[in-house]
Amino acid sequence: MSTVVQVEGLTKTYDGGFEALKNVSLDIKEGEILALLGPNGAGKTTLISTICGITSPTSGRITVGGHDVEKNWRAARDLIGLVPQEINLEPFEFVGNTVRFSRGLFGKPRNDAFVDQVLSDLSLLDKRDARTSQLSGGMRRRVLIAKALAHEPRILFLDEPTAGVDVELRRDMWALVERLRADGVTIILTTHYIEEAEAIADRIGVINSGELLLVEEKDALMQRLGRKELTIELSQPIKEIPETLKEFNLTIGDANTLTYVYDATGERTGITRLLGALQEAGLTLADLQTHQSSLEEIFVGLVQEDAA
Amino acid sequence: MNWYGVAAIWRFEMARFFRSIIQSVVSPVLSTSLYFVVFGAAIGSRIPEIEGVSYGAFIVPGLIMLTVLQQSIQNAGFGIYFPKFIGTIFEVLSAPISSFEIVVGYVGAAAVKSMLIGLIILGTSFFFVDISIQHPFFMLAFLVLTAVSFALLGFILGIWARSFEQLNLVPLLVVTPLVFLGGSFYSISMLPEVWQTVSKFNPVLYLVSGFRWSFFGTSDVPIAMSLAAVLLFASACLSVVWWMFHTGYRLKS
């Protein structure tokens, strides 16, 4: 897959001196779904706004489809559709009109059939002649998506698309993202819901305090998720690990616990052998506990590491 | 050029005009008619002719200018301020459309709207007074130049304003007094000499005077000076708009 958005050494310092992005570099591949995960105020929206041309970078370089967003902004912006976090719509405008407006604004000739198709894909066709102020919050968000799709963009930015959205609409949104990906649209979404990133993303980037902490294939992250810990509580405390148990790489926890780390997704976990070896070594078990680290814990760990 | 983008903005702004057609058209026509009744018929009948023109007819160009100025500023100012206020401006800023094209869309629509209203007032005045237009080409040229340059001023105010109050402040405190003191309802030759000199520092005087010349062939200042003044004003506004977009002033962070 080729790179469709390239961000190199991007820094953004706002007028007040707040450093929203610190030397961020990121390659987004064509056709992928990338989720940017981070707490509020992490810099997700600033990153998206800078790529889309709403915010000017302090330093660094961004290309979209090979076009520099500052020097060759027209060609770059042609490719981009943006769905903002806030639901901003002209209250007196009709749904169909506002979507047509967006298409024209992005330099595309009028095409009512296409606009109707977009509205229909978003289950908004019957609301075409309604005023945006008459719609529910979820529908207004869909109108924003329709506006962003009206000029047939190749890259779609969704800034917190499911914040404050009910479960049903969230599922609809995910299905829509899946359909768009099938059409070859590259999708970048920001979220602070880990389950959302887990459900639909190909890759996950974690951002905190303006720094991109990691960008990884979701599957690789899930492998890390597959790491499980077995905590063994012994009846008597031990000071050192017996020779026969060395191969299991056990660690001694506080007082009388041993910790064994294994891959739950692997063919062999080694648990049976370990238990046998423990018995042979003459150790008596008081309790067993297993624990799996979730994406959330990995995330919180990363963010805390970052803060420390 | 992104002409589809310009047309989209232009059409959107014009739609607002037609959506509130009563406010857009009926209200200026009504207030102008009231001016004619009060100043033209009631008071005007006791005022002698000014430079061979009846007072009722004399105030027509001034009335048109007064409305065109106010409408241009108001329409363009509101047009750009409202998207900023409700947040929809992000779309315009992220679209493949240049600042020049954005200005053409917003300012063009505001200028066309105010010119339409100006022409409606002119039409209304035919019902009240007897007027003829000696230089129709110049009349239109002044109308266009004035509408465009004051729409540019309104656009600047709309970008600058952080509240509706600020948006209305300049038209109310600066523009309206300038229009009233700029000879809309009198010839400055009727003023004492000191005030004639003061009046010459009022840019609106040159507009009203030039516009009136295109109707009656008489003016307070030479027509060339009127043209130069309106062109100067238009280029000053253009420079400010260019600077605003160049620096992203109150548009981009």
Side-chain angles (χ1 to χ4, degrees):
Chain A
M1 275 195 287
S2 59
T3 299
V4 70
V5 176
Q6 192 168 34
V7 178
E8 277 175 46
L10 180 64
T11 298
K12 173 64 188 179
T13 310
Y14 283 108
D15 284 345
F18 175 67
E19 211 177 3
L21 293 174
K22 298 166 189 163
N23 195 21
V24 170
S25 293
L26 170 68
D27 282 0
I28 300 166
K29 296 171 201 157
E30 192 167 4
E32 76 170 333
I33 299 177
L34 174 72
L36 289 171
L37 202 58
N40 289 323
K44 304 184 296 281
T45 300
T46 302
L47 176 58
I48 284 188
S49 300
T50 315
I51 298 173
C52 294
I54 299 171
T55 302
S56 317
T58 306
S59 65
R61 186 166 177 268
I62 303 166
T63 62
V64 174
H67 309 290
D68 188 300
V69 296
E70 287 191 287
K71 291 190 197 97
N72 209 347
W73 54 274
R74 256 190 226 270
R77 291 182 190 184
D78 270 341
L79 301 171
I80 297 176
L82 167 64
V83 183
Q85 190 173 342
E86 310 282 333
I87 302 180
N88 304 317
L89 283 170
E90 283 275 346
F92 309 112
E93 189 56 281
F94 297 103
V95 171
N97 279 353
T98 193
V99 177
R100 272 196 289 275
F101 170 80
S102 301
R103 184 176 168 85
L105 193 63
F106 276 74
K108 287 276 162 67
R110 188 170 169 156
N111 183 344
D112 289 352
F114 180 78
V115 167
D116 281 358
Q117 184 58 50
V118 170
L119 289 175
S120 157
D121 287 347
L122 289 155
S123 319
L124 282 171
L125 195 53
D126 57 331
K127 299 288 177 198
R128 188 182 55 191
D129 300 317
R131 288 188 200 278
T132 57
S133 53
Q134 296 167 332
L135 304 182
S136 67
M139 280 188 195
R140 286 216 292 271
R141 198 178 282 278
R142 275 185 275 159
V143 173
L144 280 176
I145 298 177
K147 280 165 75 71
L149 292 175
H151 67 282
E152 303 159 59
R154 300 309 299 154
I155 305 157
L156 184 67
F157 288 89
L158 294 160
D159 198 358
E160 304 267 353
T162 56
V165 157
D166 62 37
V167 180
E168 197 184 346
L169 186 62
R170 188 173 303 169
R171 303 261 169 228
D172 284 354
M173 201 78 78
W174 294 353
L176 171 77
V177 166
E178 209 42 65
R179 275 208 308 279
L180 288 169
R181 191 249 288 274
D183 290 340
V185 177
T186 307
I187 293 157
I188 298 95
L189 66 98
T190 70
T191 182
H192 50 244
Y193 298 122
I194 283 155
E195 57 158 304
E196 181 158 82
E198 219 170 317
I200 58 176
D202 298 318
R203 285 199 306 158
I204 294 171
V206 177
I207 189 166
N208 188 49
S209 309
E211 282 176 280
L212 192 60
L213 304 178
L214 69 83
V215 185
E216 216 168 297
E217 298 287 335
K218 183 179 67 184
D219 295 343
L221 263 182
M222 297 309 284
Q223 284 236 305
R224 285 213 227 171
L225 278 178
R227 249 168 54 110
K228 278 187 111 172
E229 279 178 8
L230 174 68
T231 309
I232 303 150
E233 209 177 305
L234 302 170
S235 308
Q236 310 91 22
I238 56 163
K239 287 209 174 74
E240 87 187 283
I241 295 164
E243 200 58 40
T244 48
L245 296 176
K246 282 263 156 68
E247 59 165 317
F248 294 101
N249 285 323
L250 298 173
T251 46
I252 302 179
D254 51 309
N256 44 356
T257 61
L258 289 172
T259 306
Y260 171 62
V261 179
Y262 63 98
D263 180 4
T265 58
E267 253 177 60
R268 286 186 185 178
T269 57
I271 293 176
T272 321
R273 257 179 353 103
L274 172 66
L275 292 180
L278 283 169
Q279 204 170 13
E280 272 173 33
L283 297 169
T284 329
L285 308 184
D287 198 5
L288 288 175
Q289 222 177 359
T290 65
H291 172 79
Q292 179 164 32
S293 50
S294 65
L295 182 51
E296 184 137 13
E297 278 172 322
I298 293 182
F299 174 66
V300 169
L302 276 166
V303 170
Q304 275 169 352
E305 253 171 53
D306 188 44
Chain B
M1 274 295 278
N2 177 357
W3 286 114
Y4 288 114
V6 175
I9 293 176
W10 194 84
R11 226 179 286 124
F12 180 83
E13 285 297 298
M14 291 308 283
R16 188 148 45 74
F17 176 73
F18 290 109
R19 209 157 44 212
S20 50
I21 192 84
I22 298 198
Q23 197 196 328
S24 307
V25 176
V26 177
S27 115
V29 170
L30 182 72
S31 61
T32 316
S33 305
L34 290 173
Y35 275 111
F36 281 126
V37 171
V38 175
F39 291 106
I43 299 176
S45 60
R46 303 191 174 202
I47 296 177
E49 286 190 349
I50 301 169
E51 291 160 38
V53 181
S54 79
Y55 186 68
F58 181 84
I59 62 169
V60 169
L63 269 180
I64 296 175
M65 274 292 158
L66 173 70
T67 311
V68 167
L69 250 68
Q70 285 172 338
Q71 290 286 329
S72 299
I73 293 177
Q74 203 181 316
N75 278 315
F78 187 81
I80 189 71
Y81 177 74
F82 196 59
K84 253 180 52 180
F85 178 70
I86 62 171
T88 53
I89 190 78
F90 84 88
E91 197 178 17
V92 176
L93 293 177
S94 66
I97 186 164
S98 70
S99 41
F100 175 72
E101 290 153 357
I102 295 172
V103 172
V104 172
Y106 281 106
V107 170
V112 167
K113 280 188 267 190
S114 63
M115 279 189 282
L116 280 177
I117 294 169
L119 292 174
I120 291 171
I121 293 173
L122 179 62
T124 314
S125 68
F126 286 119
F127 291 101
F128 292 92
V129 288
D130 190 23
I131 44 168
S132 61
I133 301 159
Q134 289 192 11
H135 308 283
F137 170 76
F138 277 98
M139 194 276 282
L140 279 177
F142 265 106
L143 194 63
V144 172
L145 279 171
T146 307
V148 170
S149 42
F150 279 83
L152 281 169
L153 177 64
F155 192 81
I156 292 169
L157 295 174
I159 292 180
W160 165 79
R162 289 191 200 272
S163 64
F164 277 101
E165 195 190 12
Q166 285 187 348
L167 186 65
N168 292 321
L169 209 60
V170 173
L172 201 69
L173 295 186
V174 182
V175 179
T176 307
L178 283 181
V179 175
F180 273 88
L181 301 175
S184 299
F185 301 108
Y186 54 86
S187 163
I188 60 160
S189 60
M190 295 157 89
L191 295 173
E193 202 142 321
V194 182
W195 288 107
Q196 286 193 30
T197 315
V198 171
S199 293
K200 289 198 170 142
F201 289 98
N202 180 354
V204 178
L205 171 75
Y206 297 87
L207 297 177
V208 173
S209 168
F211 196 53
R212 187 175 289 133
W213 172 85
S214 69
F215 279 77
F216 309 122
T218 61
S219 59
D220 285 333
V221 289
I223 177 71
M225 274 186 79
S226 287
L227 267 178
V230 66
L231 287 173
L232 189 74
F233 183 68
S235 33
C237 289
L238 267 179
S239 316
V240 175
V241 170
W242 178 85
W243 172 82
M244 281 178 151
F245 274 104
H246 189 70
T247 58
Y249 177 80
R250 292 194 183 175
L251 280 173
K252 280 191 185 188
S253 47

